[in-house]
Amino acid sequence: MAKINEDLNREREKCSFNVKELTILMDGGPEKTKERKERENFMISKRDTYAGIPEDYLSYKEQYEKAVKKSVIVFGLVRRLQEEGKTTIHNYRDVLGNLLRASDVSTGFPLALHYIMFMPAIINQGTDEQTARWLPRAWDCNIIGSYAQTELGHGTFIRGLETTATYDPITKEFVLNSPTLTSYKWWGGGLGQTANYSIVVAQLYTKGECLGVHSFIVQVRDEETHMPLPGIKIGDIGSKLALNGINNGFLGFNNYRVPRNQMLMKHAQVLEDGTYVKSRNPKLNYGAMVFVRVVIAFDMANYLSKAATISVRYSAVRRQCQSKAGEQESQVLDYLTQQHKLLPAVAACYALKITANKLWDTFNTVNEELLAGNLQRLPEIHALACCLKAISTYDTATFIETCRLACGGHGYMHSSNLPTTYSSAVAACTYEGDNTVLLLQTARFLAKTWQEIDNETGKLTPTVEYLKTTKSKGFSHKWLNTTDNIVYGFEVVSMRKIASCVQNMQKRVASGMTFEDAWNMSSIQLVAAAEAHCRVIILSTFNSEIKELTKTTSPELKRVLSQLVDLYSVYWALEKLSDLLQYTTINHEDVDGLRSWYEDLLTQLRPNAVGLVDAFDLKDEMLNSTLGSYDGRAYERLMEAALKSPLNSEPVNHTFHKYLKPFMRGKL
Amino acid sequence: MAKINEDLNREREKCSFNVKELTILMDGGPEKTKERKERENFMISKRDTYAGIPEDYLSYKEQYEKAVKKSVIVFGLVRRLQEEGKTTIHNYRDVLGNLLRASDVSTGFPLALHYIMFMPAIINQGTDEQTARWLPRAWDCNIIGSYAQTELGHGTFIRGLETTATYDPITKEFVLNSPTLTSYKWWGGGLGQTANYSIVVAQLYTKGECLGVHSFIVQVRDEETHMPLPGIKIGDIGSKLALNGINNGFLGFNNYRVPRNQMLMKHAQVLEDGTYVKSRNPKLNYGAMVFVRVVIAFDMANYLSKAATISVRYSAVRRQCQSKAGEQESQVLDYLTQQHKLLPAVAACYALKITANKLWDTFNTVNEELLAGNLQRLPEIHALACCLKAISTYDTATFIETCRLACGGHGYMHSSNLPTTYSSAVAACTYEGDNTVLLLQTARFLAKTWQEIDNETGKLTPTVEYLKTTKSKGFSHKWLNTTDNIVYGFEVVSMRKIASCVQNMQKRVASGMTFEDAWNMSSIQLVAAAEAHCRVIILSTFNSEIKELTKTTSPELKRVLSQLVDLYSVYWALEKLSDLLQYTTINHEDVDGLRSWYEDLLTQLRPNAVGLVDAFDLKDEMLNSTLGSYDGRAYERLMEAALKSPLNSEPVNHTFHKYLKPFMRGKL
């Protein structure tokens, strides 16, 4: 093993807590840690079989081709685990998550949607018969599926989708059509060149009536030749900011026919004669959306942990400027401005992971209730998942970019892996529901809750119960600079923002505006209210869960985690200071105190910064970064990576003779 | 010409002002507009000679090769203008700016640094003899130069550079060496494979003494064969987030000798016997840095104008969601949340352009004073350029990303040109001085000014004069929701922040901290103070200049520009509300009033949104965007662009047969 950078050695020596203890705590126990590491090591051990020139040097087409090559190896490993019974239809998402995180396929997998959307759609929306027919083939990857919902002209507004599926009772088939350019399906992962099947979401027409969007299993390419089938127009949508191995595709239909039994009919059905049978409860599909959005919050914690690890380690290695003449230059991690950029990001990794964990548990409880026919908590949990998705993706993207910029010029190099980490993570602000739209959905739930709050005699559902408490108690006590008080302050802020939105809406409606116009004119503040609610959820969950979790940890770990919670809460208190100034009793001196406390916390956490990111336990193969490796050989790796640039394979590029030299001699 | 989208037609019909009038106003008069358009059209007319597959589909190496090909055509055109006398050594930066903006070389030019850094270094730092020898060859592009200052281990801290240039009086040469890995030059544009000369910044040693960093003209490749010269290790640093045609390179020396007369000796000299003659005034070089940073502010206004044009036009074309049942779906530009994302960005384009213009004029005045030996305003103007560079780059990157995200999934497509616009602009947060470091330089000047404020009997230099006024007057009057009052509020905020920083520093020093530690512990607040100062400069300049400029415009234009200034000031008042709440008399009701005013301004500006971006007069060839074209055919262009993806050139990619099919049959 190569020598470890002296500065990093020193950082690790002075770490006040046991890093392994923290890793195990966050994994959920030593067994979980062991399991995770086994899967990761399994994946990493196969790396050599699909290494090669880094994706950043390849053409778009080559990136796709490499992604296919890597995919069949990675998913081949998944299939091996399936065959060995180490992963089943019930736990494959977990296993897959560990494996994919341990692969270095930074451009994404054209086969990912097959597992993440195609199979779940069959499981959740297919009849027993349909599942029996399609799932085994999908599970064995005999067929590869995509998921085609979004169209060129419609994303957010699903009701506006234009693709039609018209039932023909004579042939007992659905006839699919793309009546306009904007009705072309757009974005389906793996849809371009990879998948031969896809779930297609289309407007169902039967007996001359439009019955809204439904899902269909549609074959798009020949299983033998992979040629697009007649009536299908399919292809690649082109180059994107990142994730260019995913092979997002477009798809159009010209009188393309699929048998009746390929509409997914668990909930609603079309009978042979074309009679439509409604779903018992159309809201049941919300469960799947909640699930996907919580998974995104976990993904975000993972992306951010990568960026935080890279930038904290590099900041321990990088030395710049003599703060005192004659002395060695300072580690950039010693600058308070650098700590201000990195340590809140580190805290956010823990906060997001812990909130997602908690929400995951809540979701599982609610899901069981759902399956038992109790839909009471669905609106609450849906609203929660919406805002958590929005805020976790936005915060993550912002923190990653801050981490990247904190690494100066080298953070702009692809070999640092920070650019790709940002470009990939920021996509989540848009997919699975645009953040603004999702926050407005949360706001709709909050406004409704608020309007009914006085009619509710009992408790509200747990995550909004604070609205009732704060409404009756308000914020009249003297401000205290403690995390518990900050959390309470945020609860009051959220309550007051919701109250104020509802009041403004009512005023506008009373003055003659339509509800829709009043909603639109209040929407900036509604978004802010939904954000405030989400801040309450994350802050209070992080605060209470860490208190709970550290009951049984070592006092050293308890101390650092409690500092981390404090840092996170003070950071957000200062970021959202105008809210606290407006809605609580915080005064000028308190604010000064808050700032000093923040500066002190940064100083206290500084010696544990490297330990806190080491605890994420991200192996070098997963970080894939010249700046962030465990050994801290940042400069050596930067140079090694540069020498791999294809431009360096020859001393003189041919364009010198062809273009440059004639130009320099005035001949061009 | 293709049919123009109906929605865009309607937007243009309802625009309340004359778009051309605004374009001419911003250009600085009809002559300037004519000149700019001629240069742009000249460039655009040559497009066909270097078109081809979009860069996003090429490999890294191909991107470089295409950038060279394009460069010799583009700079060949520049040379033609030179020969025709249409551009001279005195005005070439202007001409070059217009031409480069009108080219579509999104990956950047490997020859750009030759014009932007290599030639100016010779002009500013060379003796008459050196200029006479080198400039004509550089001007004719007989030689191509780069600029090598930053090293692998040092960027910000120039005094820490490690490359050495040791004078050998026997051979009358400097011996260049790279004593460590971290001393390798890193980042020089065009340095990898393109340039055959470079300015090299190195620690000068003569007579056994180190005399700090000096600049040298160094040949790095053979003029005939382009092979790296013996003693030179040179190459490409590898793939970056964007700008991969710039060919940033690394450079190391092993006892590489250059003649004595290749040290640039206008200011300091090394005589034949090795005697060192100091520069009369080492601060003279600051002038060049100020210049570069103001140019960056113009660049930012340009990048942001692109992003704003694309996203506003697309938001007029895109329709999503029925706000009222049965009606046509709404243009997304009608949503207040969308206006909130886009219109402040539009206002910022105007604010930045106008502030940069003003600073440019100020700089020219100060530069004349400098040349006349009067250095009095240098610290002020240097501090101003530092914070303007930092804030203009940060704001621009943030607004561009907001514009990009406001375009949903399609904003993630390279064909929208938003990803590249962001990735290129955000680089400016780092190059030419990291933003945090620059803001701390501004803060140092402000702190110094503050400490001397009571000793100054006369007026302070103009851009900090407000500190004195606000110090004596404070903010005791009742808050008014007007832009003039907001500007004054920001002045008070800036003054109070600086005062508070200085006080905190003094307290810390009094308690026994060293000055350096006190500075570090105050640095988060010092950065905030410098930002506040810059907000004052931009807000007050935008406010006063628009008042001045609109004295002679039509009343319609005056009205919309004044709304734009109001929007910009209210936007920042709300963004920085916590400062106003702390340091002014603004109260809860005022804040509510501010929010309503903001919502009203968005509504008032909404009908002119398209007109305001049309006035940037960015031709389709310059926008290079499927979403942002003048005709609004966004969906058609998205599909046309997708069909150009190399993956779509064949119905089945070869990886199907090689990898996918065997995998699907369980054979892999």
Side-chain angles (χ1 to χ4, degrees):
Chain A
M1 191 169 174
K3 204 165 157 281
I4 287 181
N5 172 285
E6 281 304 319
D7 283 321
L8 271 184
N9 266 337
R10 261 192 300 274
E11 296 293 333
R12 288 176 180 131
E13 276 161 22
K14 74 184 171 195
C15 179
S16 74
F17 65 95
N18 183 324
V19 169
K20 275 192 188 153
E21 189 188 357
L22 178 52
T23 303
I24 290 170
L25 183 78
M26 293 301 290
D27 275 331
E31 274 311 306
K32 296 255 182 187
T33 300
K34 192 166 158 263
E35 212 171 61
R36 173 181 60 76
K37 284 176 99 78
E38 270 172 13
R39 290 172 192 156
E40 287 171 2
N41 288 334
F42 175 63
M43 190 71 239
I44 288 169
S45 69
K46 308 294 168 186
R47 275 293 174 83
D48 291 347
T49 58
Y50 61 88
I53 300 169
E55 272 81 350
D56 311 316
Y57 294 114
L58 301 182
S59 74
Y60 180 76
K61 193 157 175 255
E62 289 164 341
Q63 283 185 36
Y64 168 66
E65 290 162 355
K66 188 164 177 184
V68 172
K69 182 180 169 187
K70 285 185 171 186
S71 279
V72 301
I73 295 171
V74 171
F75 288 95
L77 291 174
V78 173
R79 192 159 55 187
R80 219 175 87 189
L81 293 179
Q82 291 172 354
E83 286 161 5
E84 292 170 4
K86 287 184 182 159
T87 168
T88 68
I89 205 87
H90 303 293
N91 80 344
Y92 79 89
R93 284 155 179 161
D94 254 20
V95 179
L96 202 66
N98 288 158
L99 291 175
L100 295 192
R101 268 196 290 281
S103 76
D104 69 346
V105 185
S106 59
T107 59
F109 295 95
L111 265 62
L113 235 65
H114 173 70
Y115 283 85
I116 298 167
M117 299 288 284
F118 184 72
M119 285 207 279
I122 295 173
I123 297 171
N124 296 326
Q125 300 177 49
T127 61
D128 289 348
E129 195 188 345
Q130 288 175 320
T131 310
R133 177 175 166 205
W134 294 102
L135 197 58
R137 293 199 73 200
W139 181 245
D140 289 344
C141 291
N142 290 158
I143 59 173
I144 301 290
S146 177
Y147 189 88
Q149 175 175 301
T150 299
E151 295 171 356
L152 201 41
H154 284 90
T156 297
F157 186 56
I158 298 170
R159 279 192 291 136
L161 292 175
E162 298 176 89
T163 303
T164 58
T166 309
Y167 186 64
D168 176 354
I170 299 168
T171 61
K172 301 186 175 54
E173 289 169 327
F174 292 100
V175 188
L176 271 68
N177 271 299
S178 307
T180 58
L181 171 64
T182 48
S183 74
Y184 268 68
K185 294 295 173 187
W186 198 266
W187 282 115
L191 187 60
Q193 272 72 23
T194 316
N196 51 10
Y197 281 80
S198 183
I199 301 295
V200 172
V201 181
Q203 300 285 357
L204 169 66
Y205 283 83
T206 181
K207 297 188 166 182
E209 201 183 346
C210 178
L211 294 144
V213 294
H214 289 72
S215 300
F216 302 82
I217 300 183
V218 178
Q219 184 175 357
V220 292
R221 287 177 179 269
D222 184 88
E223 289 191 24
E224 202 55 46
T225 65
H226 212 55
M227 284 293 286
L229 295 175
I232 296 277
K233 188 163 178 194
I234 195 165
D236 172 53
I237 64 169
S239 179
K240 295 155 306 249
L241 175 55
L243 301 170
N244 279 314
I246 288 187
N247 191 223
N248 301 92
F250 65 79
L251 173 62
F253 301 102
N254 182 12
N255 286 320
Y256 184 76
R257 291 175 168 261
V258 298
R260 187 185 69 92
N261 64 4
Q262 284 178 219
M263 172 173 139
L264 289 171
M265 297 216 206
K266 185 175 183 176
H267 304 305
Q269 290 100 37
V270 171
L271 305 183
E272 286 203 356
D273 69 346
T275 305
Y276 180 71
V277 182
K278 265 210 292 199
S279 168
R280 280 174 305 122
N281 195 325
K283 283 194 177 156
L284 276 171
N285 273 334
Y286 276 59
M289 293 203 301
V290 171
F291 162 76
V292 171
R293 285 167 189 161
V294 184
V295 169
I296 290 177
F298 281 115
D299 284 350
M300 292 301 112
N302 189 55
Y303 276 124
L304 185 52
S305 304
K306 259 193 192 178
T309 305
I310 295 166
S311 52
V312 167
R313 286 184 184 159
Y314 175 64
S315 298
V317 169
R318 176 77 168 181
R319 287 179 171 271
Q320 199 78 182
C321 295
Q322 284 163 305
S323 42
K324 283 153 204 165
E327 284 187 9
Q328 198 183 4
E329 294 182 45
S330 305
Q331 291 172 279
V332 295
L333 194 51
D334 281 337
Y335 293 106
L336 199 75
T337 48
Q338 190 78 352
Q339 295 160 20
H340 174 49
K341 290 172 191 171
L342 303 185
L343 293 177
V346 173
C349 298
Y350 288 95
L352 290 177
K353 178 86 191 291
I354 279 172
T355 309
N357 267 337
K358 177 78 180 173
L359 184 54
W360 184 257
D361 293 343
T362 311
F363 166 67
N364 278 326
T365 312
V366 174
N367 205 32
E368 279 166 30
E369 292 171 16
L370 279 185
L371 296 175
N374 174 0
L375 298 177
Q376 203 205 339
R377 286 193 71 187
L378 187 60
E380 175 204 11
I381 204 85
H382 176 250
L384 192 56
C386 283
C387 69
L388 187 71
K389 185 275 187 184
I391 297 303
S392 69
T393 56
Y394 181 79
D395 282 3
T396 294
T398 309
F399 278 128
I400 292 176
E401 194 62 344
T402 303
C403 287
R404 191 186 69 69
L405 287 165
C407 293
H410 297 329
Y412 198 72
M413 305 280 321
H414 266 138
S415 74
S416 74
N417 203 16
L418 290 167
T420 303
T421 304
Y422 175 72
S423 305
S424 309
V426 76
C429 290
T430 307
Y431 62 61
E432 293 301 327
D434 173 82
N435 281 352
T436 303
V437 176
L438 293 186
L439 288 172
L440 285 171
Q441 294 198 9
T442 303
R444 207 171 281 268
F445 166 76
L446 293 172
K448 199 158 164 275
T449 304
W450 185 256
Q451 282 168 298
E452 294 164 358
I453 200 162
D454 293 326
N455 305 334
E456 287 288 336
T457 48
K459 279 197 159 193
L460 294 181
T461 45
T463 60
V464 284
E465 173 61 20
Y466 76 88
L467 292 177
K468 206 161 190 179
T469 329
T470 49
K471 186 175 186 245
S472 66
K473 240 176 89 185
F475 199 113
S476 51
H477 65 274
K478 188 181 155 10
W479 176 269
L480 289 169
N481 276 335
T482 66
T483 285
D484 287 345
N485 185 61
I486 290 170
V487 171
Y488 184 73
F490 271 87
E491 290 178 348
V492 172
V493 165
S494 173
M495 178 272 292
R496 292 285 300 272
K497 287 199 172 214
I498 295 157
S500 148
C501 284
V502 171
Q503 202 185 6
N504 283 340
M505 291 267 303
Q506 285 166 343
K507 239 189 261 172
R508 283 177 165 132
V509 170
S511 78
M513 244 186 217
T514 64
F515 174 82
E516 290 76 13
D517 287 342
W519 179 265
N520 187 28
M521 281 308 288
S522 309
S523 57
I524 295 172
Q525 291 172 46
L526 285 162
V527 165
E531 183 193 338
H533 172 65
C534 195
R535 298 275 165 224
V536 168
I537 299 298
I538 300 176
L539 272 174
S540 62
T541 307
F542 191 32
N543 187 31
S544 60
E545 288 293 298
I546 288 290
K547 275 183 190 159
E548 192 57 37
L549 285 170
T550 52
K551 276 183 183 163
T552 52
T553 63
S554 67
E556 294 78 18
L557 184 56
K558 184 176 175 161
R559 187 176 319 116
V560 70
L561 285 176
S562 135
Q563 286 168 347
L564 214 52
V565 173
D566 288 343
L567 182 84
Y568 190 73
S569 72
V570 184
Y571 173 82
W572 282 109
L574 290 169
E575 284 289 306
K576 301 289 174 185
L577 191 55
S578 66
D579 292 335
L580 296 175
L581 286 164
Q582 281 180 92
Y583 300 123
T584 75
T585 58
I586 194 169
N587 66 25
H588 207 97
E589 272 166 44
D590 299 324
V591 175
D592 284 344
L594 216 48
R595 287 218 179 86
S596 310
W597 189 21
Y598 181 68
E599 289 156 357
D600 290 345
L601 282 166
L602 291 177
T603 311
Q604 286 161 20
L605 280 162
R606 156 72 187 85
N608 285 322
V610 170
L612 284 166
V613 299
D614 280 353
F616 297 138
D617 198 22
L618 290 162
K619 285 176 168 271
D620 284 354
E621 290 87 349
M622 296 159 71
L623 288 172
N624 202 15
S625 167
T626 47
L627 302 185
S629 63
Y630 188 83
D631 63 17
R633 293 171 63 251
Y635 298 117
E636 291 86 342
R637 283 173 199 268
L638 276 167
M639 184 57 92
E640 287 157 16
L643 294 176
K644 286 184 195 150
S645 164
L647 276 179
N648 290 327
S649 64
E650 48 196 4
V652 177
N653 183 277
H654 72 91
T655 53
F656 171 71
H657 301 289
K658 192 162 175 192
Y659 302 116
L660 268 183
K661 195 171 175 182
F663 172 71
M664 290 161 84
R665 302 288 156 96
K667 287 174 190 157
L668 255 187
Chain B
M1 193 169 172
K3 206 166 155 281
I4 287 181
N5 173 284
E6 282 304 321
D7 283 321
L8 272 184
N9 266 338
R10 261 191 300 274
E11 295 293 335
R12 289 180 179 126
E13 276 161 22
K14 72 184 175 196
C15 179
S16 74
F17 66 95
N18 183 324
V19 169
K20 273 191 189 155
E21 188 188 359
L22 178 52
T23 303
I24 290 169
L25 183 77
M26 292 302 290
D27 276 331
E31 275 309 309
K32 296 255 181 187
T33 300
K34 191 166 160 263
E35 212 171 60
R36 173 181 60 75
K37 285 174 99 78
E38 272 172 12
R39 289 172 193 156
E40 288 171 1
N41 289 334
F42 175 62
M43 190 72 238
I44 287 168
S45 69
K46 308 295 170 186
R47 272 297 173 83
D48 291 345
T49 57
Y50 61 87
I53 302 169
E55 272 82 350
D56 310 316
Y57 293 114
L58 301 182
S59 74
Y60 180 76
K61 192 159 175 252
E62 288 165 342
Q63 284 186 35
Y64 168 67
E65 290 162 355
K66 188 163 178 185
V68 172
K69 182 180 170 189
K70 285 186 171 184
S71 279
V72 301
I73 296 171
V74 171
F75 288 94
L77 292 175
V78 174
R79 193 159 53 189
R80 218 175 89 189
L81 292 180
Q82 290 171 356
E83 286 162 6
E84 291 170 5
K86 287 184 183 160
T87 168
T88 69
I89 204 85
H90 304 294
N91 80 343
Y92 78 90
R93 284 157 180 161
D94 255 18
V95 180
L96 202 65
N98 288 157
L99 291 175
L100 296 192
R101 267 195 291 280
S103 76
D104 68 345
V105 184
S106 59
T107 59
F109 295 95
L111 265 63
L113 235 66
H114 174 71
Y115 282 85
I116 297 168
M117 298 288 285
F118 184 73
M119 285 206 281
I122 296 173
I123 297 170
N124 295 326
Q125 300 176 48
T127 61
D128 289 347
E129 195 188 344
Q130 288 174 321
T131 310
R133 178 176 166 203
W134 296 102
L135 197 58
R137 293 200 71 201
W139 182 244
D140 290 344
C141 292
N142 291 157
I143 59 173
I144 302 291
S146 175
Y147 189 89
Q149 175 177 301
T150 298
E151 295 171 357
L152 200 41
H154 283 91
T156 297
F157 186 56
I158 299 171
R159 278 192 291 137
L161 292 176
E162 298 177 89
T163 303
T164 58
T166 310
Y167 185 65
D168 176 353
I170 298 169
T171 62
K172 300 187 177 52
E173 288 168 326
F174 293 100
V175 188
L176 271 68
N177 271 299
S178 307
T180 58
L181 171 64
T182 47
S183 74
Y184 268 68
K185 294 295 174 188
W186 198 266
W187 284 113
L191 188 58
Q193 272 73 22
T194 317
N196 52 9
Y197 281 80
S198 182
I199 302 294
V200 171
V201 180
Q203 298 285 358
L204 169 66
Y205 283 84
T206 180
K207 296 190 166 181
E209 203 182 347
C210 177
L211 294 144
V213 295
H214 289 72
S215 301
F216 302 82
I217 299 182
V218 178
Q219 183 175 359
V220 292
R221 288 178 178 269
D222 185 88
E223 289 191 24
E224 203 54 47
T225 65
H226 212 55
M227 285 293 286
L229 295 176
I232 297 275
K233 188 162 178 194
I234 196 165
D236 171 53
I237 63 168
S239 179
K240 294 152 308 238
L241 175 55
L243 301 170
N244 279 314
I246 287 187
N247 192 223
N248 301 90
F250 65 78
L251 175 62
F253 301 102
N254 181 13
N255 286 320
Y256 184 76
R257 290 174 170 262
V258 298
R260 188 185 69 94
N261 63 5
Q262 285 179 219
M263 171 173 141
L264 289 171
M265 296 214 204
K266 185 173 181 177
H267 304 305
Q269 291 98 37
V270 171
L271 305 184
E272 286 204 357
D273 68 347
T275 306
Y276 181 70
V277 183
K278 267 211 289 203
S279 166
R280 278 173 308 121
N281 195 326
K283 283 193 178 158
L284 276 172
N285 273 335
Y286 276 59
M289 293 203 302
V290 170
F291 161 76
V292 171
R293 285 167 190 159
V294 183
V295 169
I296 290 176
F298 281 115
D299 285 349
M300 292 302 111
N302 189 55
Y303 276 124
L304 186 52
S305 304
K306 260 192 191 179
T309 304
I310 296 167
S311 52
V312 167
R313 286 184 183 159
Y314 175 64
S315 298
V317 169
R318 176 79 167 178
R319 287 179 172 272
Q320 200 77 181
C321 296
Q322 285 162 304
S323 43
K324 281 154 208 167
E327 284 188 9
Q328 197 183 6
E329 294 183 43
S330 306
Q331 289 172 282
V332 296
L333 194 50
D334 282 337
Y335 293 106
L336 199 76
T337 49
Q338 190 79 351
Q339 295 160 19
H340 173 50
K341 290 173 191 173
L342 303 184
L343 293 177
V346 173
C349 298
Y350 287 96
L352 290 178
K353 177 90 193 288
I354 279 173
T355 309
N357 267 338
K358 177 78 181 170
L359 185 54
W360 183 257
D361 293 342
T362 311
F363 166 68
N364 278 327
T365 313
V366 174
N367 205 33
E368 278 165 31
E369 293 172 14
L370 280 185
L371 296 175
N374 175 359
L375 298 178
Q376 204 205 338
R377 285 194 70 187
L378 187 58
E380 176 205 10
I381 203 84
H382 176 248
L384 192 56
C386 283
C387 70
L388 188 70
K389 184 274 185 185
I391 298 303
S392 68
T393 56
Y394 181 79
D395 282 2
T396 294
T398 309
F399 278 127
I400 292 176
E401 194 64 343
T402 303
C403 288
R404 191 185 68 69
L405 287 164
C407 294
H410 297 330
Y412 198 71
M413 305 279 321
H414 266 138
S415 74
S416 74
N417 204 14
L418 290 167
T420 302
T421 305
Y422 175 72
S423 304
S424 308
V426 75
C429 290
T430 307
Y431 62 62
E432 292 301 327
D434 173 83
N435 281 354
T436 303
V437 175
L438 293 186
L439 288 172
L440 285 171
Q441 294 197 9
T442 304
R444 206 171 282 269
F445 166 76
L446 293 173
K448 199 158 165 275
T449 304
W450 185 256
Q451 282 167 300
E452 292 164 359
I453 201 163
D454 293 326
N455 305 335
E456 285 290 334
T457 47
K459 279 196 161 193
L460 295 181
T461 45
T463 60
V464 284
E465 173 62 19
Y466 76 87
L467 292 177
K468 206 163 188 175
T469 327
T470 49
K471 186 176 187 242
S472 66
K473 239 176 87 183
F475 200 114
S476 51
H477 65 274
K478 190 182 154 9
W479 176 270
L480 289 169
N481 277 336
T482 66
T483 285
D484 287 346
N485 185 61
I486 290 171
V487 172
Y488 184 73
F490 271 87
E491 290 179 347
V492 171
V493 165
S494 173
M495 177 274 290
R496 292 284 300 271
K497 286 198 173 213
I498 295 157
S500 150
C501 283
V502 171
Q503 201 185 9
N504 282 339
M505 290 267 303
Q506 285 166 343
K507 239 190 260 172
R508 282 175 166 132
V509 169
S511 77
M513 246 188 217
T514 63
F515 174 82
E516 289 78 12
D517 288 341
W519 179 265
N520 187 28
M521 282 307 289
S522 309
S523 55
I524 296 172
Q525 293 173 44
L526 286 161
V527 165
E531 184 194 337
H533 171 65
C534 194
R535 299 274 164 224
V536 168
I537 299 298
I538 301 176
L539 273 174
S540 63
T541 307
F542 191 32
N543 187 32
S544 60
E545 288 293 299
I546 288 291
K547 277 183 190 159
E548 193 58 37
L549 284 169
T550 53
K551 277 183 182 161
T552 53
T553 63
S554 66
E556 294 78 19
L557 184 57
K558 184 176 176 163
R559 187 177 320 114
V560 70
L561 285 176
S562 135
Q563 287 169 346
L564 214 52
V565 173
D566 288 344
L567 182 83
Y568 191 74
S569 73
V570 185
Y571 173 82
W572 281 109
L574 289 169
E575 285 289 306
K576 300 289 172 185
L577 191 55
S578 67
D579 292 336
L580 296 176
L581 285 164
Q582 281 181 90
Y583 300 125
T584 75
T585 58
I586 194 170
N587 67 25
H588 208 96
E589 273 166 44
D590 299 325
V591 174
D592 284 344
L594 216 48
R595 287 218 178 86
S596 310
W597 189 21
Y598 181 67
E599 289 158 357
D600 289 345
L601 282 165
L602 291 177
T603 310
Q604 286 161 21
L605 280 161
R606 157 71 188 85
N608 285 321
V610 169
L612 283 167
V613 299
D614 279 353
F616 297 140
D617 198 22
L618 291 161
K619 286 175 167 272
D620 285 354
E621 291 87 347
M622 296 159 73
L623 288 172
N624 201 17
S625 168
T626 47
L627 303 184
S629 63
Y630 188 83
D631 62 17
R633 294 172 63 253
Y635 297 118
E636 291 87 343
R637 283 174 199 267
L638 276 168
M639 183 58 92
E640 286 157 16
L643 293 176
K644 285 185 195 150
S645 163
L647 276 180
N648 290 326
S649 64
E650 47 196 4
V652 177
N653 183 277
H654 71 91
T655 53
F656 170 71
H657 301 288
K658 193 161 174 192
Y659 302 116
L660 268 183
K661 194 171 176 184
F663 172 71
M664 289 160 87
R665 302 287 156 99
K667 287 175 189 155
L668 252 187

